[in-house]
Amino acid sequence: MIDFGGGARVIHTPGHTDGSIALHLPRPGVLFTGDTVAHIDGQVMPGVFNLDRAEMLRSFRRLAEVDARLACVGHGEPIVDAHAALTAVAATLPS
């Protein structure tokens, strides 16, 4: 936890890069996903251009477990009802 936005949880999300992180602000229900998640033309998807795609997909699944109402992504518009949207996409990803 870091003292930001009422307390932010840092989540290690390797795959795009080895040191990628996401930030979850539990109180307002906001998730900053970095480049692990994209939202382009209404479609929520894993980010592209990754050092390790399999690791990035594991990170995407980890973010889908976060209870967030809003996700601010690295590319595209914010995702409303983020938990449901990320969970739906994670269910379609290869193991």
Side-chain angles (χ1 to χ4, degrees), residues 63-79:
L63 294 180
E65 296 172 0
V66 174
D67 185 18
R69 290 185 291 280
L70 180 71
C72 300
V73 299
H75 299 278
E77 295 295 317
I79 303 167

Side-chain angles (χ1 to χ4, degrees), residues 11-72:
I11 304 167
H12 186 218
T13 56
H16 175 68
T17 65
D18 294 337
S20 291
I21 64 164
L23 294 174
H24 178 224
L25 283 67
R27 191 176 304 161
V30 176
L31 176 65
F32 294 91
T33 69
D35 287 327
T36 302
V37 180
H39 185 208
I40 307 298
D41 295 329
Q43 184 177 353
V44 177
M45 66 188 84
V48 296
F49 306 116
N50 300 288
L51 291 179
D52 184 334
R53 181 160 173 80
E55 188 69 36
M56 183 276 304
L57 293 175
R58 284 189 288 277
S59 293
F60 187 101
R61 285 188 205 89
R62 188 174 311 115
L63 294 180
E65 296 172 0
V66 174
D67 185 18
R69 290 185 291 280
L70 180 71
C72 300

